[in-house]
Amino acid sequence: MRVTDRSEVGSASSRAPEDWMSINWRLVQKNVRVLQHRLAKATQEGNWRRVKALQRMLTRSFSAKALAVKRVTENQGKRTAGVDRELWDTPQQKFAAIARLKKHRYRPLPLRRVRIPKSNGKERPLGIPTMRDRAMQALHLLALDPVLESVSDPNSYGFRKNRCTADAMAQIFVKMSRKVSAVWVLDADIEGFFDNLNHQWLVHHVCMDKSILRKWLKSGVVDRGQLVATTAGTPQGGIASPALANWALNGLETGLIKHLDAKWGPTNAKKLKVGVIRYADDFVVTGASQELLETEIRSWVDAFLAERGLRLSAAKTRIVHIDQGFDFLGWHFRKYSEKLLIKPSQKNVRTFYDKVKKVIGDHLMVKQEDLIRLLNPMLRGWAHYHSPVVAKETFSRLEWLIQWRLWRWAKRRHPKKSADWIRRKYWQPVGDRKWVFAATVKIADGSKSTVELYSLSSTPIERHRKVKGDYHPYDQQWEMYGETLRQERMLNKMRYRTEWAKLYVDQRGLCALCGHEMDMDTGWHDHHIEYRMEGGSDALGNRVLLHPTCHVRVHNLDLKVVKPAFV
């Protein structure tokens, strides 16, 4: 891959960059990645003195600081300010922010309390840090994450690279699908997890700068105009919060297995069929008998959580038989005649339908094509989430309900028109389907195009390929595996955009400018090598995928991007 310059401005050099647009992000990513590999290796070797030295080196480096500022100015919260109402919108502000990420005299400001509604009618309190505090958290997370990945439980899937809820679902299937598998489950729920985490335990055990961590935990919260001290817990909404949560619960799986091995011996312990599957603070424990889970397992889990200032919810924690079934991460797991079936949970389906119903009800007078564009991302995202499980029946039933809602939406707009007239206006044949909620719209060149509602029932059901439990994203031995896994999952998410998928495969999932990986978090832009206003075509040979910031850089510096050499 190579980049040529259309002007006299160089895209990168070995000297220190003078502004935000001249930063060589490929070199920045490489510098950070090298130190993270070294951190992972030192952690695996148990050389904690070297771990501390490498973390200090990384958090003081220009590359890590630049990457931290890049993260907080490109994510979804980039336009959400903290208590100081400060945002980093311009390249000048972003570049100046790099120099502000220093430990010396650093004092985080209080969090801004924001409350968002939960599905059960209650509110979830979020703590919004300032931009500077977010960047400091992102900076230290770069040094903490390789260590955390090295000590994490094999079947912990929340907020970790290349791991997702479907991996947790697949692991439950592995542990409970066979006839000889465990049949009892401890369906656990931690009471007020983020509000009750013990600060002293976190400061003593989390492998990062203790003074910085203590300041974050004790920064306080501004709630309804009042400053409230934080004596326990870690705020939801902070960049570092998921990592701290994972660190607090690490050892739940390995520690329990070690305890059982010590008490009964490794051979006898395997007969107990104990397994822990965790996603963030939600987890289940499988076991061979109800008595084992009630007496031995639950008491050990209670002691494990109490050390961290936590406890299980008496109302929500229960021990169930697999024939009775249980809900986890939006799915319902239950055996029918010795066969384990995983379906969308009734609660998840009901919540999603209420959301769709509200969108339709709130947009009674919009154009049909605008309503379709509002609904399609919701329908496609929800269907994709449930596509690895037994969901065809649910998809068909929910699609019928949504069509009924759309019929009411259309009838309300034309109360004096006949049903046949309404059907012809809003529904039309598309392909082999007779009646599809679709609109015909004119595009820029004067031709017509059809915008149709996404069909839930046409979503293919495909089994999810689970990530290996030992996978380590910062270990070079797993580099090829991680790259292949990431590309497969990105292609699965892109399958409705075939042209993007083709470009993504051709570029091996890497940005055509900086050469660093692209995923759903980084996003991507479709860039024309020869600009369309200069006569460039829409053919795939004239297009590449770039990171959003790399795309801005190409246009601001007037750079010429060519096809990567491996295409």
Side-chain angles (χ1 to χ4, degrees):
M1 160 185 332
R2 61 188 177 88
V3 178
T4 57
D5 200 346
R6 290 186 178 186
S7 68
E8 296 296 319
V9 182
S11 62
S13 68
S14 58
R15 61 183 174 82
E18 297 177 353
D19 55 58
W20 182 259
M21 301 309 298
S22 64
I23 294 176
N24 182 356
W25 291 109
R26 185 188 305 181
L27 184 60
V28 163
Q29 298 277 6
K30 179 181 177 182
N31 292 339
V32 172
R33 191 72 174 176
V34 167
L35 281 174
Q36 288 180 322
H37 281 308
R38 293 170 64 186
L39 264 170
K41 184 178 179 181
T43 305
Q44 291 167 339
E45 294 172 350
N47 191 344
W48 297 106
R49 176 176 290 185
R50 182 159 181 77
V51 168
K52 187 176 181 180
L54 287 169
Q55 285 185 323
R56 188 186 304 114
M57 185 187 305
L58 182 58
T59 54
R60 292 180 180 181
S61 69
F62 174 87
S63 294
K65 292 178 180 179
L67 209 57
V69 173
K70 185 174 186 286
R71 173 174 178 175
V72 301
T73 54
E74 292 178 7
N75 61 15
Q76 292 183 348
K78 63 184 178 182
R79 301 194 184 280
T80 304
V83 293
D84 61 354
R85 300 296 176 182
E86 180 183 6
L87 293 176
W88 296 340
D89 294 328
T90 66
Q92 293 78 14
Q93 289 174 321
K94 296 175 185 179
F95 192 73
I98 297 175
R100 296 175 60 189
L101 302 185
K102 295 180 179 180
K103 179 182 176 181
H104 183 59
R105 294 184 179 179
Y106 169 67
R107 183 176 295 277
L109 293 177
L111 306 170
R112 181 166 69 91
R113 175 70 79 217
V114 175
R115 301 178 186 276
I116 59 174
K118 297 171 66 175
S119 58
N120 59 4
K122 297 181 180 179
E123 292 182 327
R124 174 180 286 109
L126 295 183
I128 309 299
T130 64
M131 292 295 291
R132 187 190 180 197
D133 294 336
R134 268 178 264 175
M136 284 293 285
Q137 290 188 26
L139 174 63
H140 284 269
L141 184 60
L142 289 172
L144 176 63
D145 204 41
V147 183
L148 177 60
E149 285 289 344
S150 301
V151 299
S152 289
D153 291 333
N155 292 303
S156 163
Y157 299 101
F159 306 108
R160 296 178 63 190
K161 288 182 181 293
N162 284 346
R163 293 175 184 248
C164 60
T165 53
D167 290 313
M169 174 271 295
Q171 180 61 20
I172 293 178
F173 185 84
V174 169
K175 293 293 293 183
M176 308 196 74
S177 60
R178 293 175 295 175
K179 289 185 178 180
V180 295
S181 297
V183 294
W184 288 94
V185 176
L186 171 64
D187 183 11
D189 183 272
I190 300 176
E191 185 176 343
F193 175 75
F194 284 95
D195 296 331
N196 297 312
L197 265 174
N198 185 285
H199 284 181
Q200 196 61 35
W201 188 95
L202 287 173
V203 172
H204 183 70
H205 288 88
V206 176
C207 185
M208 64 168 288
D209 190 300
K210 308 297 182 184
S211 62
I212 294 289
L213 177 57
R214 190 178 290 107
K215 288 177 181 179
W216 288 344
L217 296 174
K218 302 296 183 182
S219 62
V221 176
V222 175
D223 189 6
R224 298 185 178 92
Q226 299 293 322
L227 178 61
V228 181
T230 48
T231 57
T234 176
Q236 298 183 63
I239 288 176
S241 294
L244 298 179
N246 273 336
W247 196 288
L249 293 180
N250 271 338
L252 186 62
E253 179 184 2
T254 54
L256 177 58
I257 300 301
K258 185 178 179 181
H259 165 74
L260 297 176
D261 287 348
K263 186 168 184 178
W264 279 288
T267 303
N268 292 327
K270 287 182 179 179
K271 298 177 182 178
L272 302 177
K273 303 174 184 177
V274 173
V276 180
I277 300 95
R278 179 169 66 86
Y279 187 91
D281 60 321
D282 295 323
F283 67 94
V284 296
V285 184
T286 65
S289 69
Q290 183 178 11
E291 182 183 3
L292 171 71
L293 293 174
E294 285 180 345
T295 57
E296 187 68 31
I297 304 298
R298 179 155 184 173
S299 61
W300 187 92
V301 171
D302 285 337
F304 176 88
L305 295 177
E307 186 182 353
R308 293 150 176 80
L310 305 170
R311 64 179 181 181
L312 292 175
S313 169
K316 297 181 180 179
T317 299
R318 60 195 188 118
I319 297 174
V320 296
H321 195 276
I322 191 60
D323 290 343
Q324 179 184 351
F326 64 95
D327 289 349
F328 187 61
L329 301 176
W331 292 298
H332 184 71
F333 300 78
R334 184 177 176 183
K335 268 191 174 179
Y336 299 85
S337 303
E338 300 295 328
K339 185 175 183 179
L340 178 63
L341 295 183
I342 307 171
K343 302 179 181 180
S345 69
Q346 291 185 6
K347 179 182 177 182
N348 183 273
V349 174
R350 192 181 308 113
T351 301
F352 177 71
Y353 177 64
D354 289 342
K355 183 179 178 181
V356 173
K357 182 171 65 175
K358 186 176 186 305
V359 169
I360 296 173
D362 290 345
H363 297 85
L364 296 174
M365 301 310 296
V366 301
K367 293 181 180 180
Q368 183 187 12
E369 57 265 30
D370 293 335
L371 179 62
I372 292 173
R373 291 189 180 106
L374 282 172
L375 292 175
N376 275 354
M378 298 168 53
L379 298 173
R380 186 178 290 115
W382 186 80
H384 178 78
Y385 183 84
H386 292 292
S387 62
V389 303
V390 183
K392 274 292 184 183
E393 183 180 341
T394 303
F395 288 164
S396 297
R397 177 167 55 88
L398 196 57
E399 186 168 71
W400 185 90
L401 289 172
I402 293 172
Q403 290 291 336
W404 176 72
R405 280 283 163 191
L406 292 171
W407 178 258
R408 292 186 60 184
W409 173 87
K411 284 281 290 182
R412 182 186 176 95
R413 293 164 70 94
H414 309 283
K416 297 182 180 181
K417 296 293 184 179
S418 67
D420 189 56
W421 184 94
I422 293 173
R423 188 180 297 110
R424 288 198 309 270
K425 179 174 177 61
Y426 292 105
W427 278 264
Q428 56 182 278
V430 176
D432 57 351
R433 292 184 293 162
K434 188 174 181 180
W435 297 110
V436 179
F437 189 74
T440 302
V441 296
K442 288 184 178 180
I443 55 180
D445 59 2
S447 59
K448 294 183 178 181
S449 176
T450 301
V451 180
E452 61 180 280
L453 188 73
Y454 177 79
S455 172
L456 290 176
S457 60
S458 65
T459 304
I461 303 298
E462 298 177 357
R463 176 167 289 186
H464 177 77
R465 179 189 172 193
K466 190 183 84 70
V467 67
K468 293 182 179 179
D470 295 334
Y471 167 65
H472 194 316
Y474 299 103
D475 190 333
Q476 291 183 340
Q477 296 180 10
W478 291 92
E479 194 78 28
M480 182 63 70
Y481 173 82
E483 182 176 329
T484 304
L485 183 69
R486 176 175 54 83
Q487 290 185 30
E488 286 180 357
R489 294 188 174 182
M490 280 296 295
L491 284 175
N492 193 31
K493 294 176 181 178
M494 283 181 169
R495 62 187 172 191
Y496 304 105
R497 303 291 183 92
T498 55
E499 291 187 347
W500 283 355
K502 179 68 167 61
L503 290 172
Y504 189 85
V505 171
D506 288 344
Q507 295 176 207
R508 299 198 305 209
L510 306 177
C511 173
L513 182 69
C514 71
H516 193 66
E517 63 188 39
M518 294 180 293
D519 53 31
M520 299 303 288
D521 293 329
T522 65
W524 61 86
H525 281 178
D526 190 346
H527 172 72
H528 287 70
I529 298 171
E530 189 69 29
Y531 299 158
R532 280 175 291 184
M533 66 177 61
E534 297 176 359
S537 71
D538 284 329
L540 292 181
N542 188 47
R543 292 156 59 189
V544 290
L545 297 181
L546 304 172
H547 288 129
T549 50
C550 290
H551 197 200
V552 172
R553 185 168 172 236
V554 165
H555 284 276
N556 286 351
L557 297 183
D558 198 24
L559 300 177
K560 169 79 173 172
V561 180
V562 299
K563 278 284 186 179
F566 46 73
V567 175

